[in-house]
Every structure is written in structure tokens, then in C-alpha cells.
Amino acid sequence: EADIYQTPRYLVIGTGKKITLECSQTMGHDKMYWYQQDPGMELHLIHYSYGVNSTEKGDLSSESTVSRIRTEHFPLTLESARPSHTSQYLCASRPETGEFTDTQYFGPGTRLTVL
Amino acid sequence: AQKITQTQPGMFVQEKEAVTLDCTYDTSDPSYGLFWYKQPSSGEMIFLIYQGSYDQQNATEGRYSLNFQKARKSANLVISASQLGDSAMYFCAMRERGYQKVTFGIGTKLQVIP
């Protein structure tokens, strides 16, 4: 059972506000990921991290930023939210054992609505 | 080019029947892993099953099995004895050796009918 947490689960916010989506895992995983998913659509990788002080942009361009100051914490920030940011944001982590069996474990997601 | 293709946007299955969800993939790397995830309406992604490219046998996990046909680059998920709780989106995914990112398909929505 994976222990990865996301808060808030649901967020409705006005245009122009700064928001931070929290993601924490207690498994000591080095690798963490943020995905964006519109309803009924596939997941798009927007950020990932190999470890502390390591962050990379994913395949889908995003106006969000991330930080990785602690292994267990990988927050995502939007400086100025817009309606186009309305989506579900999923955080994931995985161990690094060098095997393909390294499964990504997902948090419950944050559903963001920007009015 | 799409690396993961799921051609069934939606599927229906009668409760207690078996169902196969299709997935084909594209890679030139001989070393890769294939995953299936379930996403209920609540939104979380639940890992179901994994198949490695060098695994000789098809993976099984309870009612889930993966029909791996390497030459055809096919990794279909088979759910036996469907239950109402199996109604969800199902995503096929792949990670290639040395490639940290996982590529997901667009998903198949499965609805189990009583």
C-alpha cells in the first residue's frame, strides 16, 4: 500500500490567485512526478524530480513550477491561476531499484477549478 | 508517433463475464515495462498489473491477467468475472529502459452492467 498524499482534494479559486498543490510521500522514494489530466483524457507529465534539488519539465508545457527541498515533499505552484488551468493534478512517486517493476504510486489527485 | 494505443474508448461487459481491454505499444528498445492502471470516478490511479519485456510468462494478479504478445507489441488486460466495482477508466502505460518517464494511453472506459 502506497503512502502518497495530496492536498487539497478539491479547490475552486478565482482567476489571478496564487495556489500551491501539496504532495507528500512517506516511502522515501527519490523519484516524484506531477501529471495533469483533463476529464476522461490521458495523463500528461508536466514535472518530475529525481531527488532533492532536482526538477525537470515534462512533456506537456505548463505554467506551473515545482520545488524539491525535501525527499518527501514535491509541491506544485501556480503564480496566477487562469481558467485554462482547470484540470485534475495527480502526483506520483516510485522507488529506484533499477528494475522495470518499479511501479509508480499515485496520490488521490487534486481537482482544480479556476473561475 | 503514439507510443501507447488504446483503441476502445468505451466498453460494456455483463457482470460475472470476462472482458479484454486492448493495448498496443511502440518501442525500439528491447527492454521495457508495461503497466495497467485503474482510475475510478473518484480520480485516484490504482496500479493493477505489470509485465516486463523479458518475462516469459503472462503476468497475473487475482482476476487480472495480461495477455502479452511481444511480436505483435500487444499487452491486453483481461478481467475475469467482472464486478460492478470494476467500472472505471483503465490506462495502459509503458516505461523504456533508462527512460525515467512513463507514457500513458488515452484510456478505456469500462462499464459493468448488472
Side-chain angles (χ1 to χ4, degrees), chain B residues 62-92:
Chain B
R63 293 186 299 110
Y64 304 109
S65 61
L66 201 152
N67 183 1
F68 182 47
Q69 297 185 43
K70 193 170 182 177
R72 296 178 60 185
K73 295 188 176 178
S74 166
N76 298 340
L77 177 71
V78 181
I79 305 174
S80 62
S82 297
Q83 301 172 356
L84 295 178
D86 294 334
S87 294
M89 285 287 288
Y90 289 82
F91 291 93
C92 180

Side-chain angles (χ1 to χ4, degrees), chain A residues 51-73:
Chain A
V52 172
N53 294 325
S54 155
T55 61
E56 300 284 345
K57 289 193 177 293
D59 301 320
L60 181 68
S61 176
S62 174
E63 294 166 343
S64 59
T65 58
V66 293
S67 62
R68 190 87 183 276
I69 299 172
R70 303 196 316 265
T71 297
E72 62 270 23
H73 196 212

Side-chain angles (χ1 to χ4, degrees), chain B residues 3-94:
Chain B
K3 289 198 169 185
I4 296 287
T5 302
Q6 293 180 257
T7 57
Q8 305 155 312
M11 292 277 287
F12 290 91
V13 64
Q14 202 80 34
E15 193 177 8
K16 299 179 185 176
E17 297 291 314
V19 63
T20 298
L21 307 183
D22 294 341
C23 173
T24 58
Y25 59 92
D26 182 29
T27 180
S28 57
D29 193 330
S31 300
Y32 51 90
L34 297 156
F35 305 82
W36 276 93
Y37 287 86
K38 172 185 177 182
Q39 187 178 42
S41 58
S42 51
E44 72 270 32
M45 292 284 283
I46 302 167
F47 166 71
L48 295 178
I49 197 167
Y50 162 84
Q51 179 84 44
S53 60
Y54 293 119
D55 292 344
Q56 295 297 315
Q57 294 187 326
N58 288 342
T60 59
E61 289 286 347
R63 293 186 299 110
Y64 304 109
S65 61
L66 201 152
N67 183 1
F68 182 47
Q69 297 185 43
K70 193 170 182 177
R72 296 178 60 185
K73 295 188 176 178
S74 166
N76 298 340
L77 177 71
V78 181
I79 305 174
S80 62
S82 297
Q83 301 172 356
L84 295 178
D86 294 334
S87 294
M89 285 287 288
Y90 289 82
F91 291 93
C92 180
M94 176 177 68

